[in-house]
Amino acid sequence: MLIIKMMRYVNGIFILGFWLFCYSCVKAPSPLQPVPSAAQIEWHKMETYGFVHFGLNTFNDMEWGWGDTPPSTFNPTDLDCEQWVLTMKNAGMKAVILTAKHHDGFCLWQTQTTDYHIGNSPYKNGKGDIVRELSDACRKHGLKFGLYLSPWDRNNSHYGYPEYVEIYHKQIEELTSLYGEIFEFWFDGANGGDGYYGGACELRSINPKEYYDYEKARDIIYENNPNCMIFGGTVPTIRWVGNEHGEAGATNWCTSFVDNNDYISLYNGCSDGDVWLPAEVDVSVRPGWFYHKKEDHLLKSLASLSVIYYNSVGRNANLLLNFPVALNGKISPADSLRVVTWHDIIKNELRHNVLKNATVTADNVRGKNFSPDNVIDDDWDSYWSVKDGYDGGLIVFSFDKPVRMNRLMLQEYIPLGQRVEEFYLEGQLDGKWFKIMPSDSMTTIGYKRILRFKTVELDKLMIFFEKSKGPLCINNIEAFCAPVLLSPPVIKRDYYGFVHLNIPDDEAVVYYTVDGSLPDNSSTRYDKPFMFNDKGVIKAVTYDSVNDKYSDVAVRHLDLPASSFVVSSPSDSYDKIFDGDGLSSLNLKMNESFIELTFNDKQKISGFRYLPSQNRNVTRIITDYLFYVDGKLVSSGSFDNIENNPIEQVVEFEPVTGKTVRFVPVRNTDNAGYCNVAEFSVIVE
Ligand code: FUL
């Protein structure tokens, strides 16, 4: 009897041992083709890197130089590549890509292929080489280095003929053999046609898919840089995302087609694509790629840079953020501070992973090495997976005590391909399950997906993967409770007198005052636009009640609203200059039209405000004016530096009592027949 019992026991151990053995030696899911190359995987892990646009265009205040400006125009006096690199490093970026040559053909290195290069400029008496200086600075500070070499060359006399293609390939050879390792090579897609072309000044059209022989270009690059990523051309390893405003699709597949050299759906990728071609989002911190003084006031806000981050890195794309280096050869202090601050904000938002100590369970586990715990360990190469034959799964995080969160980061183990097609989130508090928005159902994940939603408090978090192209392979899941984004409200009054206080984070609370006092959480709370049919100062702050923190105070001086006067000069679109919107403007005919307002009552008039159109590339800005009260000239003059800095102009003078004012434009920046007015108001005491 004892012997039988012992045998059963031994048998049991044997079976258990055998089962454990099998459980732990379950094979990984087969890769789902197409999969990324090792170099592509390393590229994904970089996530953000910087772009520099600098060249003759900078000195000519242009975006697309014609190719005819002499190299002598290029003269940065204080160039400092280390300042560029340190800015990017402090902003968490892993690399920098330089426009070694833009469409104007001017080369920032000492090339043998043309005279149109930095060696013929006054910079360092012709001894400078910015490709060298930047690649050295990158190596010194541990960043990778990449290059942009425009295929289109509006300077070169051979452009359009076979000779130019040889020149272009020679340029690639110089750049990829003389400056150390290149992590990414950018072939820009622009081929505008017309140009200087050595003086021919004509239109030259080519077929970009054939003309440049990109296959040969790739071979030259790979000779010294076998792991280099290639952007554009006919043999890319990454794809353009299809826009330049910083946004990948919420559905974003790393897979696509390179069919007849056309990429299909740049924004979303293609779920059934046959090559791994992940998206790169390129966007500039200012409207232009190159520096223009007149865009100093249009530097992207922290709020819009944050949105760009979540719409690129948070949507399975890499972010290539451009710095338009200024004329002195440095990134403007405002730009560099803005981007470093933005990085600190994002880092802070994604700092404390609240899933770290959760108990993790799943409805389906492939085997011991594929445990759901793998999604919260720090090992990128370990992942949770399910059994073959399943195209979904469920993972649950349980917390000892309720946890707050408003961000969720998910990552798939992409070496085995991109799989997830549909998933949603649910939370449980006090035994009740509820859906967590951002939307009912999400689609792709890929290398990284970050979701933002309203703060929820949970005992349990469940992620339900409804559809996947094969067994799930999820290597990382993190959740965070990001603090409110404390940007000061944007204050605007519309044509009807309603004041709007806009903030980017709808979880924040806004408080305001209308009596000049400083607002705090005991002031009036803003919940919808309010009527302000008077003159006065509106002050507003954004408040984070969890951390008891305030944004800077936004201040706006509002003059008497449109309801307190009649416009006596007829025009259909006068409402545009009282609507608080700097993008809508009124055109006034020079030497003929003016703005004339008659107040309902006599006023003590002491000045006026003029805002030119805030559209990009704005022209016809008023530079000189006359201002009358009841027919008497009370002020005349010019708006200094308005062309470079088209911000609101405030003119004040000794108060004059009167009812009717007239603002007459005298000159505009372009000596054009019309000028523009986006906003106008009269200051009264
Ligand atoms: C575009 C170019 O035409 C722009 O000037 C800029 O270089 C941008 C990154 O790519 O296609």
Side-chain angles (χ1 to χ4, degrees), residues 285-288 291-302 304 332 334-335 338 582-583 610-619 621 641-649 676 678:
V285 297
R286 292 158 173 251
Y291 178 83
H292 309 287
K293 183 141 189 45
K294 62 173 180 280
E295 292 182 355
D296 278 354
H297 69 305
L298 296 178
L299 176 62
K300 289 198 168 58
S301 65
L302 289 171
S304 70
S332 298
D335 299 25
R338 180 68 48 89
L583 298 177
Y610 160 60
L611 179 76
S613 164
Q614 296 297 292
N615 281 301
R616 192 178 169 210
N617 294 330
V618 54
T619 51
I621 300 170
N641 201 30
I642 195 169
E643 182 164 15
N644 284 328
N645 196 14
I647 57 172
E648 183 182 75
Q649 308 292 310
N676 74 69

mmCIF file of all heavy atoms in Angstrom, residues 285-288 291-302 304 332 334-335 338 582-583 610-619 621 641-649 676 678:
data_model
loop_
_atom_site.group_PDB
_atom_site.id
_atom_site.type_symbol
_atom_site.label_atom_id
_atom_site.label_comp_id
_atom_site.label_asym_id
_atom_site.label_seq_id
_atom_site.Cartn_x
_atom_site.Cartn_y
_atom_site.Cartn_z
ATOM 1 N N VAL A 285 9.712 74.238 -34.524
ATOM 2 C CA VAL A 285 9.246 74.931 -33.314
ATOM 3 C C VAL A 285 8.639 76.294 -33.640
ATOM 4 O O VAL A 285 7.988 76.908 -32.807
ATOM 5 C CB VAL A 285 10.362 75.116 -32.254
ATOM 6 C CG1 VAL A 285 10.867 73.793 -31.757
ATOM 7 C CG2 VAL A 285 11.499 75.972 -32.776
ATOM 8 N N ARG A 286 8.886 76.787 -34.849
ATOM 9 C CA ARG A 286 8.273 78.026 -35.331
ATOM 10 C C ARG A 286 7.547 77.694 -36.624
ATOM 11 O O ARG A 286 7.756 76.621 -37.170
ATOM 12 C CB ARG A 286 9.357 79.058 -35.649
ATOM 13 C CG ARG A 286 10.089 79.580 -34.431
ATOM 14 C CD ARG A 286 11.428 80.139 -34.857
ATOM 15 N NE ARG A 286 12.080 80.787 -33.731
ATOM 16 C CZ ARG A 286 12.230 82.100 -33.630
ATOM 17 N NH1 ARG A 286 11.822 82.890 -34.591
ATOM 18 N NH2 ARG A 286 12.809 82.617 -32.576
ATOM 19 N N PRO A 287 6.793 78.657 -37.177
ATOM 20 C CA PRO A 287 6.102 78.319 -38.433
ATOM 21 C C PRO A 287 7.078 77.921 -39.533
ATOM 22 O O PRO A 287 6.835 77.000 -40.291
ATOM 23 C CB PRO A 287 5.367 79.615 -38.788
ATOM 24 C CG PRO A 287 5.224 80.337 -37.498
ATOM 25 C CD PRO A 287 6.419 79.967 -36.665
ATOM 26 N N GLY A 288 8.239 78.632 -39.627
ATOM 27 C CA GLY A 288 9.183 78.342 -40.706
ATOM 28 C C GLY A 288 10.202 77.301 -40.305
ATOM 29 O O GLY A 288 10.453 77.060 -39.124
ATOM 30 N N TYR A 291 15.104 80.402 -39.899
ATOM 31 C CA TYR A 291 14.849 81.493 -38.954
ATOM 32 C C TYR A 291 14.364 82.750 -39.678
ATOM 33 O O TYR A 291 14.937 83.156 -40.695
ATOM 34 C CB TYR A 291 16.145 81.818 -38.196
ATOM 35 C CG TYR A 291 15.958 82.970 -37.253
ATOM 36 C CD1 TYR A 291 15.429 82.774 -35.991
ATOM 37 C CD2 TYR A 291 16.276 84.277 -37.651
ATOM 38 C CE1 TYR A 291 15.232 83.828 -35.127
ATOM 39 C CE2 TYR A 291 16.077 85.337 -36.789
ATOM 40 C CZ TYR A 291 15.547 85.106 -35.538
ATOM 41 O OH TYR A 291 15.327 86.159 -34.689
ATOM 42 N N HIS A 292 13.308 83.364 -39.137
ATOM 43 C CA HIS A 292 12.847 84.670 -39.628
ATOM 44 C C HIS A 292 12.515 85.507 -38.399
ATOM 45 O O HIS A 292 11.710 85.071 -37.572
ATOM 46 C CB HIS A 292 11.589 84.534 -40.490
ATOM 47 C CG HIS A 292 11.736 83.505 -41.569
ATOM 48 N ND1 HIS A 292 12.515 83.709 -42.680
ATOM 49 C CD2 HIS A 292 11.226 82.258 -41.676
ATOM 50 C CE1 HIS A 292 12.476 82.624 -43.436
ATOM 51 N NE2 HIS A 292 11.710 81.725 -42.853
ATOM 52 N N LYS A 293 13.128 86.659 -38.325
ATOM 53 C CA LYS A 293 12.898 87.494 -37.145
ATOM 54 C C LYS A 293 11.402 87.732 -36.933
ATOM 55 O O LYS A 293 10.915 87.748 -35.805
ATOM 56 C CB LYS A 293 13.660 88.819 -37.302
ATOM 57 C CG LYS A 293 13.548 89.700 -36.110
ATOM 58 C CD LYS A 293 14.844 90.417 -35.773
ATOM 59 C CE LYS A 293 14.770 91.130 -34.440
ATOM 60 N NZ LYS A 293 14.186 90.351 -33.371
ATOM 61 N N LYS A 294 10.677 87.901 -38.048
ATOM 62 C CA LYS A 294 9.252 88.225 -37.915
ATOM 63 C C LYS A 294 8.436 87.060 -37.322
ATOM 64 O O LYS A 294 7.239 87.213 -37.079
ATOM 65 C CB LYS A 294 8.663 88.676 -39.245
ATOM 66 C CG LYS A 294 8.707 87.658 -40.353
ATOM 67 C CD LYS A 294 7.935 88.173 -41.559
ATOM 68 C CE LYS A 294 7.926 87.197 -42.714
ATOM 69 N NZ LYS A 294 9.136 87.203 -43.515
ATOM 70 N N GLU A 295 9.087 85.915 -37.108
ATOM 71 C CA GLU A 295 8.368 84.809 -36.476
ATOM 72 C C GLU A 295 8.770 84.600 -35.014
ATOM 73 O O GLU A 295 8.391 83.600 -34.399
ATOM 74 C CB GLU A 295 8.571 83.519 -37.287
ATOM 75 C CG GLU A 295 7.872 83.610 -38.634
ATOM 76 C CD GLU A 295 7.987 82.355 -39.494
ATOM 77 O OE1 GLU A 295 8.700 81.408 -39.113
ATOM 78 O OE2 GLU A 295 7.371 82.337 -40.560
ATOM 79 N N ASP A 296 9.532 85.560 -34.480
ATOM 80 C CA ASP A 296 9.964 85.427 -33.077
ATOM 81 C C ASP A 296 8.764 85.249 -32.139
ATOM 82 O O ASP A 296 8.863 84.550 -31.144
ATOM 83 C CB ASP A 296 10.749 86.672 -32.623
ATOM 84 C CG ASP A 296 12.207 86.615 -33.055
ATOM 85 O OD1 ASP A 296 12.631 85.570 -33.595
ATOM 86 O OD2 ASP A 296 12.916 87.617 -32.862
ATOM 87 N N HIS A 297 7.668 85.925 -32.458
ATOM 88 C CA HIS A 297 6.511 85.859 -31.542
ATOM 89 C C HIS A 297 5.620 84.652 -31.845
ATOM 90 O O HIS A 297 4.592 84.478 -31.221
ATOM 91 C CB HIS A 297 5.705 87.152 -31.608
ATOM 92 C CG HIS A 297 4.986 87.340 -32.907
ATOM 93 N ND1 HIS A 297 5.618 87.321 -34.118
ATOM 94 C CD2 HIS A 297 3.670 87.522 -33.170
ATOM 95 C CE1 HIS A 297 4.739 87.489 -35.074
ATOM 96 N NE2 HIS A 297 3.547 87.614 -34.538
ATOM 97 N N LEU A 298 6.033 83.838 -32.815
ATOM 98 C CA LEU A 298 5.180 82.698 -33.191
ATOM 99 C C LEU A 298 5.785 81.352 -32.768
ATOM 100 O O LEU A 298 5.372 80.300 -33.244
ATOM 101 C CB LEU A 298 4.917 82.708 -34.700
ATOM 102 C CG LEU A 298 4.113 83.915 -35.209
ATOM 103 C CD1 LEU A 298 3.950 83.852 -36.721
ATOM 104 C CD2 LEU A 298 2.734 83.982 -34.554
ATOM 105 N N LEU A 299 6.745 81.412 -31.850
ATOM 106 C CA LEU A 299 7.323 80.182 -31.294
ATOM 107 C C LEU A 299 6.188 79.340 -30.694
ATOM 108 O O LEU A 299 5.319 79.876 -30.006
ATOM 109 C CB LEU A 299 8.322 80.608 -30.200
ATOM 110 C CG LEU A 299 9.006 79.526 -29.397
ATOM 111 C CD1 LEU A 299 9.851 78.635 -30.303
ATOM 112 C CD2 LEU A 299 9.905 80.170 -28.342
ATOM 113 N N LYS A 300 6.221 78.049 -30.943
ATOM 114 C CA LYS A 300 5.117 77.198 -30.455
ATOM 115 C C LYS A 300 5.044 77.223 -28.931
ATOM 116 O O LYS A 300 6.073 77.225 -28.256
ATOM 117 C CB LYS A 300 5.295 75.759 -30.945
ATOM 118 C CG LYS A 300 5.038 75.626 -32.428
ATOM 119 C CD LYS A 300 4.776 74.192 -32.842
ATOM 120 C CE LYS A 300 4.245 74.096 -34.256
ATOM 121 N NZ LYS A 300 5.094 74.670 -35.296
ATOM 122 N N SER A 301 3.824 77.217 -28.422
ATOM 123 C CA SER A 301 3.626 77.276 -26.978
ATOM 124 C C SER A 301 3.944 75.905 -26.365
ATOM 125 O O SER A 301 3.979 74.880 -27.063
ATOM 126 C CB SER A 301 2.177 77.646 -26.682
ATOM 127 O OG SER A 301 1.346 76.597 -27.136
ATOM 128 N N LEU A 302 4.111 75.888 -25.047
ATOM 129 C CA LEU A 302 4.343 74.613 -24.356
ATOM 130 C C LEU A 302 3.163 73.683 -24.587
ATOM 131 O O LEU A 302 3.324 72.478 -24.778
ATOM 132 C CB LEU A 302 4.514 74.863 -22.857
ATOM 133 C CG LEU A 302 5.816 75.562 -22.481
ATOM 134 C CD1 LEU A 302 5.802 75.961 -21.019
ATOM 135 C CD2 LEU A 302 7.017 74.668 -22.782
ATOM 136 N N SER A 304 1.149 73.561 -27.205
ATOM 137 C CA SER A 304 1.091 72.929 -28.523
ATOM 138 C C SER A 304 2.239 71.949 -28.713
ATOM 139 O O SER A 304 2.082 70.922 -29.379
ATOM 140 C CB SER A 304 0.954 73.951 -29.653
ATOM 141 O OG SER A 304 2.125 74.662 -29.776
ATOM 142 N N SER A 332 17.951 80.465 -30.825
ATOM 143 C CA SER A 332 17.526 81.601 -29.987
ATOM 144 C C SER A 332 17.271 81.124 -28.574
ATOM 145 O O SER A 332 16.686 80.048 -28.380
ATOM 146 C CB SER A 332 16.229 82.209 -30.501
ATOM 147 O OG SER A 332 16.432 82.683 -31.770
ATOM 148 N N ALA A 334 15.061 81.897 -26.484
ATOM 149 C CA ALA A 334 13.646 81.607 -26.204
ATOM 150 C C ALA A 334 13.276 80.214 -26.715
ATOM 151 O O ALA A 334 12.566 79.454 -26.048
ATOM 152 C CB ALA A 334 12.753 82.655 -26.864
ATOM 153 N N ASP A 335 13.775 79.854 -27.894
ATOM 154 C CA ASP A 335 13.446 78.542 -28.476
ATOM 155 C C ASP A 335 14.053 77.434 -27.630
ATOM 156 O O ASP A 335 13.418 76.418 -27.343
ATOM 157 C CB ASP A 335 14.010 78.410 -29.900
ATOM 158 C CG ASP A 335 13.445 79.443 -30.849
ATOM 159 O OD1 ASP A 335 13.027 80.515 -30.362
ATOM 160 O OD2 ASP A 335 13.423 79.199 -32.058
ATOM 161 N N ARG A 338 12.228 77.083 -24.354
ATOM 162 C CA ARG A 338 10.885 76.522 -24.550
ATOM 163 C C ARG A 338 10.938 74.999 -24.712
ATOM 164 O O ARG A 338 10.179 74.253 -24.103
ATOM 165 C CB ARG A 338 10.268 77.177 -25.806
ATOM 166 C CG ARG A 338 8.874 76.738 -26.194
ATOM 167 C CD ARG A 338 7.823 77.168 -25.207
ATOM 168 N NE ARG A 338 7.881 78.553 -24.797
ATOM 169 C CZ ARG A 338 7.269 79.572 -25.398
ATOM 170 N NH1 ARG A 338 6.513 79.352 -26.430
ATOM 171 N NH2 ARG A 338 7.381 80.816 -24.947
ATOM 172 N N GLY A 582 -7.047 87.187 -34.133
ATOM 173 C CA GLY A 582 -5.943 87.792 -34.878
ATOM 174 C C GLY A 582 -5.760 87.194 -36.263
ATOM 175 O O GLY A 582 -4.964 87.689 -37.054
ATOM 176 N N LEU A 583 -6.473 86.128 -36.548
ATOM 177 C CA LEU A 583 -6.296 85.487 -37.862
ATOM 178 C C LEU A 583 -7.283 86.012 -38.896
ATOM 179 O O LEU A 583 -7.122 85.790 -40.095
ATOM 180 C CB LEU A 583 -6.441 83.965 -37.727
ATOM 181 C CG LEU A 583 -5.396 83.303 -36.832
ATOM 182 C CD1 LEU A 583 -5.657 81.818 -36.682
ATOM 183 C CD2 LEU A 583 -3.983 83.535 -37.374
ATOM 184 N N TYR A 610 -3.568 98.568 -32.212
ATOM 185 C CA TYR A 610 -3.665 97.990 -33.569
ATOM 186 C C TYR A 610 -2.921 96.652 -33.585
ATOM 187 O O TYR A 610 -1.762 96.562 -33.178
ATOM 188 C CB TYR A 610 -3.029 98.949 -34.585
ATOM 189 C CG TYR A 610 -2.629 98.293 -35.897
ATOM 190 C CD1 TYR A 610 -3.577 97.653 -36.706
ATOM 191 C CD2 TYR A 610 -1.305 98.304 -36.339
ATOM 192 C CE1 TYR A 610 -3.201 97.049 -37.904
ATOM 193 C CE2 TYR A 610 -0.926 97.707 -37.535
ATOM 194 C CZ TYR A 610 -1.884 97.079 -38.310
ATOM 195 O OH TYR A 610 -1.516 96.474 -39.494
ATOM 196 N N LEU A 611 -3.625 95.618 -34.025
ATOM 197 C CA LEU A 611 -2.982 94.303 -34.181
ATOM 198 C C LEU A 611 -3.000 93.930 -35.657
ATOM 199 O O LEU A 611 -4.075 93.814 -36.265
ATOM 200 C CB LEU A 611 -3.748 93.230 -33.384
ATOM 201 C CG LEU A 611 -3.162 91.814 -33.492
ATOM 202 C CD1 LEU A 611 -1.899 91.680 -32.635
ATOM 203 C CD2 LEU A 611 -4.185 90.756 -33.057
ATOM 204 N N PRO A 612 -1.815 93.753 -36.270
ATOM 205 C CA PRO A 612 -1.820 93.291 -37.665
ATOM 206 C C PRO A 612 -2.202 91.817 -37.727
ATOM 207 O O PRO A 612 -2.181 91.120 -36.710
ATOM 208 C CB PRO A 612 -0.373 93.494 -38.106
ATOM 209 C CG PRO A 612 0.425 93.570 -36.866
ATOM 210 C CD PRO A 612 -0.475 93.966 -35.736
ATOM 211 N N SER A 613 -2.489 91.349 -38.907
ATOM 212 C CA SER A 613 -2.874 89.950 -39.079
ATOM 213 C C SER A 613 -1.796 89.040 -38.478
ATOM 214 O O SER A 613 -0.601 89.256 -38.660
ATOM 215 C CB SER A 613 -3.031 89.646 -40.564
ATOM 216 O OG SER A 613 -3.042 88.254 -40.735
ATOM 217 N N GLN A 614 -2.254 88.001 -37.774
ATOM 218 C CA GLN A 614 -1.324 87.061 -37.152
ATOM 219 C C GLN A 614 -1.090 85.843 -38.032
ATOM 220 O O GLN A 614 -0.506 84.850 -37.593
ATOM 221 C CB GLN A 614 -1.849 86.629 -35.777
ATOM 222 C CG GLN A 614 -1.938 87.785 -34.796
ATOM 223 C CD GLN A 614 -0.564 88.400 -34.503
ATOM 224 O OE1 GLN A 614 0.283 87.783 -33.891
ATOM 225 N NE2 GLN A 614 -0.337 89.636 -34.966
ATOM 226 N N ASN A 615 -1.547 85.923 -39.274
ATOM 227 C CA ASN A 615 -1.272 84.818 -40.186
ATOM 228 C C ASN A 615 0.212 84.782 -40.519
ATOM 229 O O ASN A 615 0.891 85.805 -40.487
ATOM 230 C CB ASN A 615 -2.072 84.987 -41.477
ATOM 231 C CG ASN A 615 -3.499 84.566 -41.266
ATOM 232 O OD1 ASN A 615 -3.763 83.422 -40.910
ATOM 233 N ND2 ASN A 615 -4.425 85.495 -41.432
ATOM 234 N N ARG A 616 0.661 83.564 -40.868
ATOM 235 C CA ARG A 616 2.055 83.420 -41.237
ATOM 236 C C ARG A 616 2.320 84.156 -42.548
ATOM 237 O O ARG A 616 1.413 84.328 -43.351
ATOM 238 C CB ARG A 616 2.342 81.928 -41.424
ATOM 239 C CG ARG A 616 3.773 81.716 -41.521
ATOM 240 C CD ARG A 616 4.157 80.301 -41.650
ATOM 241 N NE ARG A 616 5.560 80.324 -41.997
ATOM 242 C CZ ARG A 616 6.129 79.415 -42.722
ATOM 243 N NH1 ARG A 616 5.433 78.408 -43.176
ATOM 244 N NH2 ARG A 616 7.399 79.515 -43.009
ATOM 245 N N ASN A 617 3.540 84.598 -42.787
ATOM 246 C CA ASN A 617 3.920 85.291 -44.015
ATOM 247 C C ASN A 617 3.040 86.501 -44.278
ATOM 248 O O ASN A 617 2.666 86.776 -45.416
ATOM 249 C CB ASN A 617 3.832 84.366 -45.232
ATOM 250 C CG ASN A 617 4.853 83.268 -45.140
ATOM 251 O OD1 ASN A 617 5.912 83.473 -44.558
ATOM 252 N ND2 ASN A 617 4.538 82.110 -45.678
ATOM 253 N N VAL A 618 2.677 87.180 -43.216
ATOM 254 C CA VAL A 618 1.783 88.315 -43.393
ATOM 255 C C VAL A 618 2.534 89.451 -44.085
ATOM 256 O O VAL A 618 3.720 89.677 -43.855
ATOM 257 C CB VAL A 618 1.187 88.745 -42.030
ATOM 258 C CG1 VAL A 618 2.264 89.012 -41.020
ATOM 259 C CG2 VAL A 618 0.287 89.947 -42.182
ATOM 260 N N THR A 619 1.832 90.104 -44.996
ATOM 261 C CA THR A 619 2.401 91.250 -45.705
ATOM 262 C C THR A 619 1.456 92.430 -45.477
ATOM 263 O O THR A 619 0.421 92.287 -44.819
ATOM 264 C CB THR A 619 2.490 90.964 -47.217
ATOM 265 O OG1 THR A 619 1.205 90.519 -47.650
ATOM 266 C CG2 THR A 619 3.529 89.905 -47.517
ATOM 267 N N ILE A 621 1.500 95.154 -43.688
ATOM 268 C CA ILE A 621 1.268 95.587 -42.305
ATOM 269 C C ILE A 621 1.403 97.115 -42.263
ATOM 270 O O ILE A 621 2.336 97.674 -42.850
ATOM 271 C CB ILE A 621 2.334 94.967 -41.374
ATOM 272 C CG1 ILE A 621 2.253 93.442 -41.438
ATOM 273 C CG2 ILE A 621 2.201 95.475 -39.964
ATOM 274 C CD1 ILE A 621 3.408 92.755 -40.740
ATOM 275 N N ASN A 641 9.689 98.584 -35.965
ATOM 276 C CA ASN A 641 10.014 97.158 -36.008
ATOM 277 C C ASN A 641 8.797 96.253 -36.188
ATOM 278 O O ASN A 641 8.856 95.063 -35.899
ATOM 279 C CB ASN A 641 10.766 96.759 -34.723
ATOM 280 C CG ASN A 641 11.539 95.481 -34.935
ATOM 281 O OD1 ASN A 641 11.979 95.198 -36.049
ATOM 282 N ND2 ASN A 641 11.674 94.674 -33.897
ATOM 283 N N ILE A 642 7.694 96.821 -36.664
ATOM 284 C CA ILE A 642 6.481 95.989 -36.761
ATOM 285 C C ILE A 642 6.634 94.893 -37.815
ATOM 286 O O ILE A 642 6.040 93.821 -37.707
ATOM 287 C CB ILE A 642 5.227 96.860 -37.015
ATOM 288 C CG1 ILE A 642 3.972 96.025 -36.734
ATOM 289 C CG2 ILE A 642 5.221 97.457 -38.410
ATOM 290 C CD1 ILE A 642 2.700 96.813 -36.681
ATOM 291 N N GLU A 643 7.466 95.144 -38.821
ATOM 292 C CA GLU A 643 7.629 94.129 -39.869
ATOM 293 C C GLU A 643 8.277 92.876 -39.282
ATOM 294 O O GLU A 643 7.864 91.752 -39.555
ATOM 295 C CB GLU A 643 8.480 94.674 -41.006
ATOM 296 C CG GLU A 643 8.635 93.665 -42.123
ATOM 297 C CD GLU A 643 9.130 94.266 -43.416
ATOM 298 O OE1 GLU A 643 9.625 95.402 -43.370
ATOM 299 O OE2 GLU A 643 9.020 93.583 -44.452
ATOM 300 N N ASN A 644 9.279 93.086 -38.431
ATOM 301 C CA ASN A 644 9.959 91.946 -37.817
ATOM 302 C C ASN A 644 9.161 91.340 -36.694
ATOM 303 O O ASN A 644 9.300 90.164 -36.391
ATOM 304 C CB ASN A 644 11.306 92.384 -37.248
ATOM 305 C CG ASN A 644 12.314 92.572 -38.343
ATOM 306 O OD1 ASN A 644 12.256 91.878 -39.354
ATOM 307 N ND2 ASN A 644 13.205 93.514 -38.165
ATOM 308 N N ASN A 645 8.370 92.161 -36.059
ATOM 309 C CA ASN A 645 7.691 91.678 -34.863
ATOM 310 C C ASN A 645 6.237 92.162 -34.871
ATOM 311 O O ASN A 645 5.890 93.144 -34.203
ATOM 312 C CB ASN A 645 8.459 92.212 -33.639
ATOM 313 C CG ASN A 645 8.085 91.472 -32.394
ATOM 314 O OD1 ASN A 645 7.459 90.406 -32.451
ATOM 315 N ND2 ASN A 645 8.431 92.029 -31.253
ATOM 316 N N PRO A 646 5.400 91.491 -35.642
ATOM 317 C CA PRO A 646 4.035 92.018 -35.851
ATOM 318 C C PRO A 646 3.077 91.749 -34.682
ATOM 319 O O PRO A 646 2.065 91.057 -34.826
ATOM 320 C CB PRO A 646 3.576 91.305 -37.131
ATOM 321 C CG PRO A 646 4.416 90.095 -37.236
ATOM 322 C CD PRO A 646 5.659 90.294 -36.433
ATOM 323 N N ILE A 647 3.427 92.262 -33.522
ATOM 324 C CA ILE A 647 2.572 92.077 -32.340
ATOM 325 C C ILE A 647 1.663 93.297 -32.154
ATOM 326 O O ILE A 647 1.771 94.268 -32.900
ATOM 327 C CB ILE A 647 3.417 91.846 -31.074
ATOM 328 C CG1 ILE A 647 4.376 93.017 -30.883
ATOM 329 C CG2 ILE A 647 4.190 90.543 -31.161
ATOM 330 C CD1 ILE A 647 5.130 92.995 -29.572
ATOM 331 N N GLU A 648 0.815 93.250 -31.125
ATOM 332 C CA GLU A 648 -0.104 94.368 -30.887
ATOM 333 C C GLU A 648 0.677 95.660 -30.628
ATOM 334 O O GLU A 648 1.635 95.667 -29.857
ATOM 335 C CB GLU A 648 -0.980 94.063 -29.670
ATOM 336 C CG GLU A 648 -2.002 95.151 -29.414
ATOM 337 C CD GLU A 648 -2.840 94.861 -28.168
ATOM 338 O OE1 GLU A 648 -2.313 95.027 -27.045
ATOM 339 O OE2 GLU A 648 -4.000 94.471 -28.329
ATOM 340 N N GLN A 649 0.250 96.751 -31.265
ATOM 341 C CA GLN A 649 0.877 98.062 -31.084
ATOM 342 C C GLN A 649 -0.040 98.905 -30.213
ATOM 343 O O GLN A 649 -1.244 99.003 -30.493
ATOM 344 C CB GLN A 649 1.057 98.755 -32.438
ATOM 345 C CG GLN A 649 1.768 97.911 -33.472
ATOM 346 C CD GLN A 649 3.227 97.668 -33.137
ATOM 347 O OE1 GLN A 649 3.958 98.614 -32.848
ATOM 348 N NE2 GLN A 649 3.657 96.407 -33.163
ATOM 349 N N ASN A 676 -3.597 95.615 -43.897
ATOM 350 C CA ASN A 676 -4.511 94.767 -43.111
ATOM 351 C C ASN A 676 -4.620 95.204 -41.650
ATOM 352 O O ASN A 676 -3.654 95.709 -41.068
ATOM 353 C CB ASN A 676 -4.102 93.292 -43.213
ATOM 354 C CG ASN A 676 -2.873 92.991 -42.396
ATOM 355 O OD1 ASN A 676 -2.935 93.014 -41.164
ATOM 356 N ND2 ASN A 676 -1.744 92.744 -43.060
ATOM 357 N N ALA A 678 -6.131 93.343 -38.136
ATOM 358 C CA ALA A 678 -6.796 92.167 -37.547
ATOM 359 C C ALA A 678 -7.672 92.596 -36.375
ATOM 360 O O ALA A 678 -8.783 92.111 -36.207
ATOM 361 C CB ALA A 678 -5.772 91.141 -37.090
#
